[in-house]
Structures are given as C-alpha cells and as structure tokens.
Amino acid sequence: MKDWLWFSVAFWHTFRGTGGDPFGAPTKSWPWEDGTNSLAMAKRRMKAHFEFMEKLGVDRWCFHDRDIAPDGKTLVETNANLDEIVELAKELQVGTDIKPLWGTAQLFMHPRYMHGAATSPEVKVYAYAAAQVKKALEVTHYLGGENYVFWGGREGYQTLLNTDMKRELEHLANFLQAAVDHKKKIGFQGTLLIEPKPQEPTKHQYDWDVATSFSFLQKYGLTGEFKINVECNHATLSGHSCHHELETARINGLLGNIDANTGDPQVGWDTDEFLTDISEATLVMSSVVKNGGLAPGGFNFDAKLRRESTDVEDMFIAHISGMDTMARGLRNVAKLIEDGSLDELVRKRYQSFDSEIGAMIEAGKGDFETLEKKVLEWGEPIVPSGKQELAEMLFQSAL
Ligand code: XLS
Ligand code: NI
Ligand code: NI
C-alpha cells in the first residue's frame, strides 16, 4: 500500500487555515499560534508542522511560498524571510524521509495580483510573478521537492468587455515556457504540474478542466513539459466527476498528482473537505492503478477541517480518515481486478471491434465505401444490452 499511496499534508490548510469564512470570524486557536505573522511565529509553526508529520507518519508536504514565510517590505526582504524558513525546514528534514511533494507560488492573495499574475495587463506584475516563481522553484528544488504546481487563482476574467483573452493566454504560455527554461537551468528534475479549476475566485479561469488545460498545452507546444494535478473538488466545480477528470488526464498521459479532497454538490464552492466516501475513493484509486501509480506525484490533502472542528486531535482524525479512505479504495480496486467481472463486462462490450472490420477501423483504415458495403451485407445491426445496472452492482458489491 505504501508504494501506491504517497500522502502529503497541505501546509496552507492545516497550518494556516483559520476556520474563517466570508460570514464568520476565525474559529481555530492552536496552542502554538501567538496571533502574529512574524518570522518567529513562522518558525514555531514550521516546527509544529514537522512534529505533526512525524506523529502522523506522513513524509510529504506541500506549500505556497507565502504560507510558510511572511511577506517583507520588498522582494529582497520577502526572499530573505523565505530563505530563513526554508533553511529551518531543510534542517528539520535531516534524518527523516520528509520532503515536499510539491511547492508553489502564491500568486493570488496579494493586492498586486488583483488582475492576475502571468495574465495581468500590467507588465510589472507579470515580472513580479516571474521573480516569485523563480524563487519558489529554487526553494522547492533546494528542499528536494518532487514536483512544482501552477494554480493561478486569478488567471481568468470577470467579463470579456475589458479583457483581451488572446493576449492573456499568450502571456500565460510564455510565462510557463520561461518556467520550464528556468527549471532546466537550475537542474530541477521534478515534474511541473498544472492544476485545473473552472472558476472561483474569477468567474472564468483559463484552465477550466483537464481537457481545456490539455488543449492549451497542445496549442502552445507545452505538452511533454507539464502534467496535471487533478483536484476532486475542482472537478465538481467544472461539472465533471473526479473520475472523469482523472481518466481524461490518464488517457492523455497527463495524470501526475491528485489533490485528494471532495466538495459538496449543494454548496457550489471549493469547500475542500477531506475525502471520506469509499465509493468515490474506489473510483479515484481505479484511475491511479490503471495509471501505474502517480510517482513522483502523490495524494495531497488539499483539505481543511470544518469551521466547527477546533481540537488539535481533529487535525489527526481528518488526515487519518483521509488516508484510510484511499487505502480502502485501493483494496476495493484490488478486489475488482481479482474478480475480473467488471473488466470482462467492458471487454465484451467492445468485442465486436476485435473482428476483422473492427480492427480495420481501429487501425484508421475504415473507409466509408467499405463500411457501406458491409452494412448492405449485414443488414440492420442487433444491438446488445449495455448492462449498466450489472456494472453498478459489480462495482458496489466490491465496496
Ligand atoms: C485552490 C487550489 C490551491 C492549489 C495550490 O483552490 O486548490 O489550494 O492546490 O495553489
Ligand atoms: Ni489544490
Ligand atoms: Ni482547490
């Protein structure tokens, strides 16, 4: 199980989540917090984070540059703060197997990014974002991180009336290409990942879903340099199931990482809940197994405690429950594979394409004239049952 399930703690939710929401004040008061955003506090928090990971037995973590260290007054000061915390994290990693699953730059919180980062109409903001990603790539590399994620947050628009979509997409593509170049320059071997999300906070984001992101990568010649980080809650927001997004990524050779969380279909917001649904986890794990695993990616718990969960113990319960759910999903997939009935049902459903004509079509040689002749010879096709209820029954009985 350990080979299949690489778990990661998301620093921003677990150590910077306050329990606040648009209508309510923060609810958490962790014993190590002093209510400031000082460098000393950032250090104490990082130590608490490592203690948490060690107690939990998880050896991967994910972070944004700005969650782990406070902003300074200038970029120089901000980078110096970051260096201090990264140095501490590096020391805390010594003698453990702990390292980042991925790092990323937070390009959405600061007011300078109100129009976007790489898609901002302001060239100075584009440059600032570049400088920030440069540094974030370097520290991820320094900490032995295995991947680097791009999730823009504000790379989209509220209305096209004031937006030049073509220019923004081209800027974004150039930005990502420059990130690839810098990655190679510093010798970072990790995978670069794009994390699709349809909207929120902007009305429309350019990386709407896996298929949209894939066509963007293709159009700008970036395939081969990027994989996809599928977040289940983002799938919900784009009107897809997580399974659909995972399969779309997988069959295109793009499945690199999973932000293992879940949303609420009745809330319509990235609620980032821990995934505890065994059926959902089984579908997720079936894609992972078909993908031959995710390495060097894994499962990042991009999930937060509910506002009402305020005990330190709840941090443990949430992560343990998230891990157990994925593990049970994996077990169920093993059961389904060993039983073989579901695979057999799918195989049978397409077996007419194993015929001579079917093979011809699959080889791209099914010309319309030949097929018309066949129809005249065969007559009206007799179409067999799709066996959907049987498929659902086989799936459910493995849970
Ligand atoms: C937000 C995203 C974010 C990314 C990292 O919705 O999920 O948390 O994973 O920037
Ligand atoms: Ni995410
Ligand atoms: Ni999200």
Side-chain angles (χ1 to χ4, degrees):
M1 276 189 158
K2 198 158 197 249
D3 293 340
W4 290 97
L5 300 167
W6 291 89
F7 295 118
S8 154
V9 173
F11 193 92
W12 56 96
H13 283 310
T14 306
F15 285 88
R16 301 311 303 273
T18 63
D21 70 18
F23 299 98
T27 56
K28 320 268 189 242
S29 51
W30 304 128
W32 53 86
E33 290 287 333
D34 67 6
T36 71
N37 191 19
S38 67
L39 204 52
M41 185 56 243
K43 287 183 187 168
R44 194 153 62 239
R45 193 181 289 128
M46 186 55 78
K47 287 182 190 153
H49 166 63
F50 271 80
E51 189 182 329
F52 178 64
M53 278 192 296
E54 279 162 31
K55 287 183 171 161
L56 199 60
V58 165
D59 49 27
R60 293 292 179 274
W61 58 296
C62 291
F63 64 98
H64 298 92
D65 48 3
R66 300 296 174 261
D67 338 305
I68 60 172
D71 265 311
K73 282 190 209 75
T74 61
L75 183 62
V76 174
E77 222 179 281
T78 304
N79 284 349
N81 288 350
L82 184 58
D83 282 337
E84 240 184 281
I85 301 299
V86 165
E87 212 44 61
L88 171 66
K90 180 103 177 164
E91 276 164 33
L92 293 167
Q93 287 187 171
V94 173
T96 72
D97 292 328
I98 297 177
K99 56 183 162 176
L101 179 66
W102 48 263
T104 186
Q106 191 199 70
L107 301 172
F108 43 89
M109 201 89 97
H110 195 281
R112 82 172 72 84
Y113 295 124
M114 68 180 177
H115 305 297
T119 55
S120 171
E122 289 299 318
V123 70
K124 289 182 180 171
V125 175
Y126 180 102
Y128 207 105
Q132 201 180 319
V133 168
K134 172 180 179 287
K135 182 72 180 170
L137 270 168
E138 289 165 5
V139 303
T140 302
H141 180 40
Y142 181 68
L143 288 169
E146 299 183 306
N147 305 272
Y148 182 90
V149 162
F150 290 88
W151 173 69
R154 299 187 188 271
E155 90 298 3
Y157 55 81
Q158 296 297 353
T159 168
L160 284 173
L161 294 174
N162 68 355
T163 302
D164 187 335
M165 172 154 54
K166 183 165 183 287
R167 246 175 136 172
E168 290 198 358
L169 283 164
E170 284 165 5
H171 293 177
L172 181 58
N174 290 341
F175 190 95
L176 294 173
Q177 182 57 57
V180 170
D181 296 343
H182 193 68
K183 162 194 157 161
K184 290 182 179 160
K185 193 165 178 193
I186 62 174
F188 176 53
Q189 306 283 329
T191 309
L192 300 179
L193 297 148
I194 292 190
E195 183 179 327
K197 187 175 183 179
Q199 72 277 114
E200 195 210 48
T202 39
K203 184 169 83 176
H204 180 97
Q205 287 181 208
Y206 296 133
D207 51 359
W208 184 272
D209 61 1
V210 173
T212 313
S213 304
F214 184 36
S215 81
F216 168 85
L217 293 173
Q218 280 177 306
K219 154 118 179 148
Y220 294 103
L222 291 163
T223 42
E225 303 291 357
F226 287 87
K227 287 201 167 185
I228 302 270
N229 178 29
V230 173
E231 175 165 327
C232 289
N233 202 161
H234 296 181
T236 318
L237 296 177
S238 67
H240 298 303
S241 64
C242 192
H243 196 208
H244 169 93
E245 288 295 80
L246 292 168
E247 286 295 279
T248 307
R250 181 182 74 76
I251 63 175
N252 289 300
L254 291 170
L255 182 54
N257 194 82
I258 296 177
D259 269 7
N261 64 9
T262 197
D264 188 317
Q266 281 146 314
V267 174
W269 183 255
D270 198 8
T271 52
D272 292 329
E273 297 169 38
F274 280 85
L275 201 164
T276 54
D277 184 305
I278 307 291
S279 158
E280 178 79 347
T282 306
L283 292 172
V284 168
M285 290 313 297
S286 82
S287 287
V288 172
V289 169
K290 283 190 183 135
N291 199 54
L294 295 170
F299 299 86
N300 171 44
F301 289 120
D302 194 355
K304 60 186 175 204
L305 292 179
R306 296 305 86 196
R307 186 164 189 266
E308 303 85 339
S309 300
T310 52
D311 291 341
V312 174
E313 183 193 58
D314 295 327
M315 287 174 38
F316 285 90
I317 292 171
H319 284 83
I320 290 166
S321 154
M323 290 191 276
D324 283 352
T325 305
M326 301 315 294
R328 291 169 75 182
L330 179 60
R331 252 190 210 162
N332 294 341
V333 172
K335 258 195 246 167
L336 285 165
I337 293 173
E338 276 157 23
D339 172 76
S341 314
L342 198 52
D343 287 338
E344 182 58 11
L345 185 151
V346 176
R347 195 196 62 75
K348 271 202 190 139
R349 198 159 176 234
Y350 294 86
Q351 77 183 355
S352 68
F353 275 86
D354 298 339
S355 63
E356 200 186 324
I357 290 291
M360 202 175 99
I361 293 171
E362 289 194 340
K365 293 185 182 131
D367 69 275
F368 282 3
E369 278 169 14
T370 310
L371 296 179
E372 184 190 46
K373 255 188 233 146
K374 276 290 162 190
V375 171
L376 297 174
E377 182 191 319
W378 285 335
E380 188 57 34
I382 294 160
V383 185
S385 165
K387 298 274 173 226
Q388 187 174 329
E389 294 77 9
L390 177 60
E392 280 159 359
M393 186 182 86
L394 292 170
F395 177 76
Q396 293 293 338
S397 53
L399 306 187

